[in-house]
Amino acid sequence: MVFAPFASAQCRVLDADIEKCFDRICHQALLTKLHTFPSLRRTITAWLKAGVMDGAALFPTDTGAPQGGVLSPLLMNVALHGLETAITMAFPASKDGHRWRPRIIRFADDLVVLHRDYHAIAQAQDIAASWLQEMGLTLKPSKTRIGHTLHPVEGTAGFDFLGFHVRQYPVGSTKTGKTGQGIPLGFTTLIKPAKAAQHKHLHQMHEEVRHRRASSQEGLIQRLNPIIRGWSNYYATVSAKRTFIRMDTGLYANLRRWAHRRHPDKSAWWISEKYWHPREGQWTFKTSDGIKLWRHSDTPIRRHTKVTGTRSPYDGDWVYWATRLGRHPETPRTWATLLKRQGGRCSWCGLYFKHGEDMVELDHIIPTSRGGDGKTTNLQLLHGHCHDVKTAKENAVEGTADKNHTTEEPCERKRTRTVLKPSQRGRPR
C-alpha cells in the first residue's frame, strides 16, 4: 500500500478533508495550471462555465466543477497539483540523523500527512491551509484531526483513508515488524476495511434483499453478485479475510429471513435443502441450475506490489509489465503468462530478464523429440545463452552433441581390419 514507507515507524498523522472541494475550485487558478494550447483551454473553460441542469432548472457554475461528472476528478487533481510539493519542500531532508520530510498521500479531496513529530504535523497543516486558500479552498474542521498510528488519541488509534483503516498494533517478539537493520519494533502495521465501510456494505446488501422479497432466487443472486465481487476485489489487497467472513455471516442472516418469508409453513431443514443444498457437502446459496451466490471469502487475498519508480504501462518495458500483470499489448499471451508465472526470472539461472539487454527465448521443458507437447505447462522462458546450455546438455545425454568427432567404422566387406574413413570435410572422423 501507499503507507508502506512508514510501516517501520510510529507516526503522527494529519487526516484532513477539503471542504466542498468540487464546488469551490477557483476556475482561474485551475486554468493557470493547465499549460495547454489555446483551443483546449477554451474547451475546458466552456466545460467549467456550462452550468448544471437539474430537471428544467439551470444552475450556473461560476466556481467549482460538477461533482459526479466524468471530468471533475481530473480537473480537481490538476487544481490540487503541487500541494504535496509545497508541504514536503518546507522541511529539511534530514534532522538529527532521521528522515524529516513528511509523507503526503492525496486522493481527490482526501489528504493524509505522516510524520514522527507533532509540531511538524501542525506545521504541515498550516502550510496546507495557506496553499489551499490560493485555490479558493479550506480544510473542513469537523473532518480534520491529528492522530497517531499506534497510540490512541481521543480514544482512537490509527486513521481511515478511502475506506481503509490503517493502524499499528503492539505485538510480541514472534509477530513484530522489523527495521531494515533487523531490529524488532514491538508493533506491526495492518490495513483493514474501515468499520464505516463495513456497515455501509452490510446495509446495502440488506436493502437489496429486502427490496427483492418477491424476486426469484436467480434474480436475487444476479443482483447481489456484482455488489459482492466489487466490494471484495476493492479490499482484496489488505488484511480482510476475517472481514470477508463477517460479511458472509451478515448476508446469510438476511438470506435466511428472505427464505423463511417465502415459505412460512416449511421447516428450516426443507428451506436449507431448497436454497443451500447441504447434502452436496457445503452450504452454498444457489439455484437448482447451478447459479450460485459469490461469497466474500471466495475472493483470494493478493498483496499489492507498488509500481517501481516512474514506470508506466506505455514505457515499452514489456518484460516488467507482462511479469506484473500477466499481459501486455506488445507481448504474446503465452509469453506474458510465462513471465508472470516465472516472476520475471529465467527458469535456468534464476536471474531477472532485463528489458533491452537480454535475449529471451521460448523453451520446451520436455523436448518435442522426447514426446513433449506445446502446452503452456511444458513451456518456459530462458535467456538465450541459458537455452543453448540446456540444449547442449540434453543433446549430450542423447549422444548427439558432436557429429564430427573421430569414430571407428565397422569392418567393411572384404576388409580384414577396421579403418578410419575420410570425412567429407577432408579429415578423418
Side-chain angles (χ1 to χ4, degrees), residues 224-329:
L224 286 174
N225 273 347
I227 298 173
I228 296 172
R229 285 179 180 270
W231 197 87
S232 302
N233 288 335
Y234 182 71
Y235 292 103
T237 59
V238 298
S239 302
K241 201 64 179 179
R242 291 184 180 179
T243 303
F244 287 170
I245 295 174
R246 193 178 303 119
M247 296 298 103
D248 287 334
T249 303
L251 178 59
Y252 172 76
N254 290 326
L255 294 176
R256 291 290 296 189
R257 287 192 292 269
W258 174 87
H260 279 284
R261 183 184 181 279
R262 293 172 63 88
H263 307 282
D265 299 328
K266 297 294 184 179
S267 67
W269 180 252
W270 186 92
I271 293 174
S272 300
E273 282 288 336
K274 179 175 178 60
Y275 293 107
W276 279 272
H277 313 281
R279 292 182 185 273
E280 297 181 9
Q282 59 180 354
W283 286 65
T284 303
F285 189 77
K286 65 179 182 179
T287 66
S288 57
D289 297 334
I291 301 174
K292 71 174 187 176
L293 180 71
W294 182 263
R295 294 184 298 183
H296 298 78
S297 54
D298 291 336
T299 303
I301 300 297
R302 295 189 179 97
R303 301 301 182 203
H304 173 74
T305 303
K306 194 170 183 288
V307 175
T308 306
T310 59
R311 293 186 185 273
S312 165
Y314 307 103
D315 58 11
D317 191 348
W318 61 270
V319 173
Y320 176 82
W321 289 106
T323 300
R324 180 182 177 90
L325 303 175
R327 63 184 185 276
H328 191 272

Side-chain angles (χ1 to χ4, degrees), residues 55-69:
L58 174 64
F59 297 91
T61 52
D62 298 325
T63 59
Q67 188 169 359

Side-chain angles (χ1 to χ4, degrees), residues 26 30 52 67 77 94 99 107 112 143 179 226 253 260-261 264-265 329 332 334 355 379-380 388 424:
C26 177
L30 169 60
V52 176
Q67 188 169 359
N77 278 322
S94 61
R99 182 179 182 174
F107 185 87
V112 170
K143 291 188 177 181
T179 65
H260 279 284
R261 183 184 181 279
D265 299 328
T334 301
H355 175 65
L379 298 176
Q380 62 183 350
D388 294 340
Q424 294 180 353

Side-chain angles (χ1 to χ4, degrees), residues 102-295:
R103 181 77 61 176
I104 299 98
I105 303 99
R106 181 183 62 81
F107 185 87
D109 57 343
D110 291 326
L111 176 70
V112 170
V113 182
L114 299 169
H115 200 279
R116 65 178 74 246
D117 185 71
Y118 175 84
H119 299 289
I121 287 290
Q123 181 183 351
Q125 182 176 358
D126 295 337
I127 295 171
S130 177
W131 190 91
L132 289 171
Q133 284 182 353
E134 301 176 2
M135 302 298 302
L137 302 171
T138 58
L139 294 176
K140 190 172 185 178
S142 61
K143 291 188 177 181
T144 300
R145 59 180 289 269
I146 297 178
H148 198 279
T149 54
L150 180 61
H151 305 294
V153 175
E154 299 178 356
T156 303
F159 62 95
D160 292 346
F161 186 71
L162 302 180
F164 296 93
H165 182 68
V166 184
R167 182 180 173 183
Q168 292 170 332
Y169 297 84
V171 293
S173 58
T174 58
K175 296 184 179 180
T176 180
K178 297 182 180 180
T179 65
Q181 293 74 32
I183 302 174
L185 295 170
F187 59 83
T188 186
T189 302
L190 294 180
I191 304 175
K192 303 178 180 180
K195 289 185 177 180
Q198 297 180 38
H199 293 322
K200 183 178 179 180
H201 182 56
L202 283 173
H203 179 72
Q204 182 184 12
M205 292 190 297
H206 171 75
E207 290 299 311
E208 288 294 339
V209 175
R210 189 175 70 85
H211 288 155
R212 284 164 177 75
R213 288 170 290 187
S215 298
S216 63
Q217 184 183 18
E218 180 180 352
L220 181 61
I221 291 174
Q222 290 177 349
R223 180 60 186 173
L224 286 174
N225 273 347
I227 298 173
I228 296 172
R229 285 179 180 270
W231 197 87
S232 302
N233 288 335
Y234 182 71
Y235 292 103
T237 59
V238 298
S239 302
K241 201 64 179 179
R242 291 184 180 179
T243 303
F244 287 170
I245 295 174
R246 193 178 303 119
M247 296 298 103
D248 287 334
T249 303
L251 178 59
Y252 172 76
N254 290 326
L255 294 176
R256 291 290 296 189
R257 287 192 292 269
W258 174 87
H260 279 284
R261 183 184 181 279
R262 293 172 63 88
H263 307 282
D265 299 328
K266 297 294 184 179
S267 67
W269 180 252
W270 186 92
I271 293 174
S272 300
E273 282 288 336
K274 179 175 178 60
Y275 293 107
W276 279 272
H277 313 281
R279 292 182 185 273
E280 297 181 9
Q282 59 180 354
W283 286 65
T284 303
F285 189 77
K286 65 179 182 179
T287 66
S288 57
D289 297 334
I291 301 174
K292 71 174 187 176
L293 180 71
W294 182 263
R295 294 184 298 183

